[in-house]
Amino acid sequence: MSAPRSPAPAAGAASPAGAEVRVLRDGDPAVAALSADGWTVAAESWGARLRVTAAVLGRCAAAVTAATDAGWELLVLGPHDAAAVVALDAACAADYPDTAATRHDVPDAAALERDLRSGARWAYGAAAADGRLDAVTVLYPSVGREAAMVETDFTVTRAAVRGRGLATAVKAAAVLDLAAQGHELFGTGGAGVNEASRRANEALGYLVTERWLHLLPPH
Ligand SMILES: CC(C)(COP(=O)(O)OP(=O)(O)OC[C@H]1O[C@@H](n2cnc3c(N)ncnc32)[C@H](O)[C@@H]1OP(=O)(O)O)[C@@H](O)C(=O)NCCC(=O)NCCS
């Protein structure tokens, strides 16, 4: 599925073109040395964290209300929704930034169905009045450097309805529901070029905690 390589990307990962990529935290003194040797920044990525507070829950509730008022229903999705989630994601696959920092594979429907049934993943969606799934976010339990947390697998909105707050709303629905189940820390990340993704998260209270530079060698 999505691989934002965040917040701690694997050093020495391969770029789409197959060249070796060095992944260093922004500000690492080694960046200057590599740059002097001709390495160039091919892509940037970021990692963010959200800790549940009353203010966060208030922002999430407002985002859900805005989408509901605009005509979408926010849903907790289950195993029977896996095919619809995959169909939406497949229709949008070409819209994910494919960079040295991030890539996205459309999930396998059977695997997603199994994960949603077992609790290995959670999914939240926004459905139009006719039932069409227009946005979805998929998350999974993870262990960050600091504590157990809920990591985002991917979030996607149907192209025709982007910019209407649906990505923000499905992430908000996820935070509200999972916080009610006792989860306190959420993580996410993405490509530096994906401003919409970063802003959807920041609108709810995710704070960018780290930025990574993905460097390619000369030639
Ligand atoms: C990223 C994506 C999910 C955003 O979905 P969306 O429903 O349009 O997002 P929202 O309407 O909730 O907008 C979120 C924020 O991004 C901003 N935004 C929306 N489209 C934008 C764009 N093309 N460029 C910059 N900012 C944009 C919005 O203004 C909003 O910011 P604000 O709250 O400061 O106003 C959607 O563009 C998409 O599906 N892209 C392809 C898949 C992808 O890249 N997913 C993310 C990686 S997992």
Side-chain angles (χ1 to χ4, degrees), residues 6-9 25 47-51 122 140-152 183-188 209-210 212:
S6 160
R25 197 160 175 159
R49 293 280 186 277
L50 174 144
R51 192 167 286 283
W122 301 283
Y140 59 95
S142 176
V143 181
R145 279 193 294 268
E146 57 275 58
M149 66 177 185
V150 176
E151 181 64 70
T152 306
H183 297 278
E184 295 174 348
L185 185 64
F186 293 71
T188 193
T209 51
E210 49 212 277
W212 300 88

Side-chain angles (χ1 to χ4, degrees), residues 95-97 154-157 162-168 194 196 199-200:
D95 301 337
Y96 283 86
F154 64 95
T155 304
V156 67
T157 299
R162 288 187 189 146
R164 300 193 199 179
L166 294 183
T168 309
N194 205 339
R199 284 174 62 178

